[in-house]
Amino acid sequence: GEDVEQSLFLSVREGDSSVINCTYTDSSSTYLYWYKQEPGAGLQLLTYIFSNMDMKQDQRLTVLLNKKDKHLSLRIADTQTGDSAIYFCAERLKNSGYSTLTFGKGTMLLVSP
Amino acid sequence: DGGITQSPKYLFRKEGQNVTLSCEQNLNHDAMYWYRQDPGQGLRLIYYSQIVNDFQKGDIAEGYSVSREKKESFPLTVTSAQKNPTAFYLCASSIWGYDGYTFGSGTRLTVV
């Protein structure tokens, strides 16, 4: 089955690191994605990781994938107030033809000065 | 610049009226998607289309209809049969394969 779970809310102080967690249930996932949504806007692709990788780093963003536990995390270093947004985890399944992405419900990140 | 455009940004309609939301992309993407977003619900797939003149129902297609007459365009009609149409609607597109989606900026529909 397909299900992506995220915690709903995270609050951090500016300059701290933020870690947003996601769990997925389908072991057939190939790509896992992180999207960012600012208020009243669409979703912006932040980064993605292929299922045969354990880690991917892109500037302040680090994605960690634990396939055994089906756990994905997004770490934002030196979090800024501009990082306040909703973050969505999404998975794409393997060998399902032209599949769609399945999204979690999103984690609202609030960064205080 | 290539992108995906949704219009209008805000839309108000009276209950019982059909309304069509526009989605246009110039990214030469094959596939297009419509999602509905409600507070605390995340994104739920309404319809998607892999190629022109073909589309499939998503998880919550009841009360909605779509067409895909051109590669660039994928309009969504919210019909009077949709019981709770007030929501934020997001259109997205992608190329064939494993890339992530490109999203439009959304249309907020309010039915009064």
Side-chain angles (χ1 to χ4, degrees):
Chain A
E2 308 169 16
D3 201 9
V4 178
E5 299 282 344
Q6 299 179 241
S7 53
L8 294 182
F9 186 74
L10 176 65
S11 179
V12 301
R13 299 189 78 87
E14 191 173 21
D16 289 348
S17 291
S18 306
V19 179
I20 302 171
N21 294 301
C22 170
T23 58
Y24 58 98
T25 56
D26 199 310
S27 58
S28 299
S29 295
T30 53
Y31 283 88
L32 294 137
Y33 301 84
W34 283 105
Y35 284 85
K36 176 184 179 181
Q37 184 182 34
E38 296 181 354
L43 275 67
Q44 171 195 354
L45 178 63
L46 283 179
T47 188
Y48 63 93
I49 188 167
F50 190 49
S51 59
N52 69 352
M53 298 168 65
D54 297 323
M55 186 182 87
K56 181 178 180 181
Q57 189 153 2
D58 185 0
Q59 299 183 337
R60 291 191 297 123
L61 306 179
T62 303
V63 179
L64 295 177
L65 176 60
N66 180 329
K67 290 184 285 295
K68 175 176 171 291
D69 296 336
K70 298 191 183 78
H71 182 265
L72 181 74
S73 68
L74 174 70
R75 178 177 180 271
I76 306 173
D78 187 24
T79 314
Q80 303 297 308
T81 54
D83 294 324
S84 292
I86 301 176
Y87 290 80
F88 290 91
C89 169
E91 63 174 347
R92 181 188 285 277
L93 305 179
K94 181 169 63 176
N95 296 329
S96 57
Y98 206 94
S99 66
T100 59
L101 295 186
T102 299
F103 288 85
K105 293 185 177 181
T107 299
M108 180 177 289
L109 173 65
L110 180 64
V111 183
S112 54
Chain B
D1 285 340
I4 182 166
T5 302
Q6 291 186 243
S7 60
K9 191 167 179 63
Y10 299 96
L11 192 53
F12 295 87
R13 278 295 182 271
K14 289 186 178 179
E15 196 171 334
Q17 290 181 335
N18 292 355
V19 60
T20 298
L21 282 59
S22 169
C23 179
E24 303 274 336
Q25 54 99 358
N26 60 2
L27 299 164
N28 200 32
H29 285 174
D30 296 304
M32 297 186 74
Y33 314 82
W34 275 106
Y35 284 88
R36 170 180 171 141
Q37 185 178 21
D38 297 283
Q41 295 279 344
L43 274 68
R44 293 184 289 169
L45 181 65
I46 305 172
Y47 268 98
Y48 67 100
S49 167
Q50 301 174 23
I51 56 172
V52 174
N53 293 323
D54 186 49
F55 47 82
Q56 282 78 40
K57 292 182 180 180
D59 301 318
I60 55 165
E62 186 176 348
Y64 299 97
S65 66
V66 293
S67 62
R68 186 89 186 275
E69 296 176 3
K70 299 187 301 182
K71 187 176 186 178
E72 300 80 17
S73 178
F74 191 41
L76 173 75
T77 297
V78 184
T79 75
S80 56
Q82 168 49 234
K83 294 189 184 344
N84 295 298
T86 294
F88 189 53
Y89 290 88
L90 286 161
C91 180
S93 67
S94 71
I95 62 173
W96 184 278
Y98 296 97
D99 288 321
Y101 296 174
T102 300
F103 279 86
S105 56
T107 293
R108 185 165 298 282
L109 172 65
T110 303
V111 175
V112 295

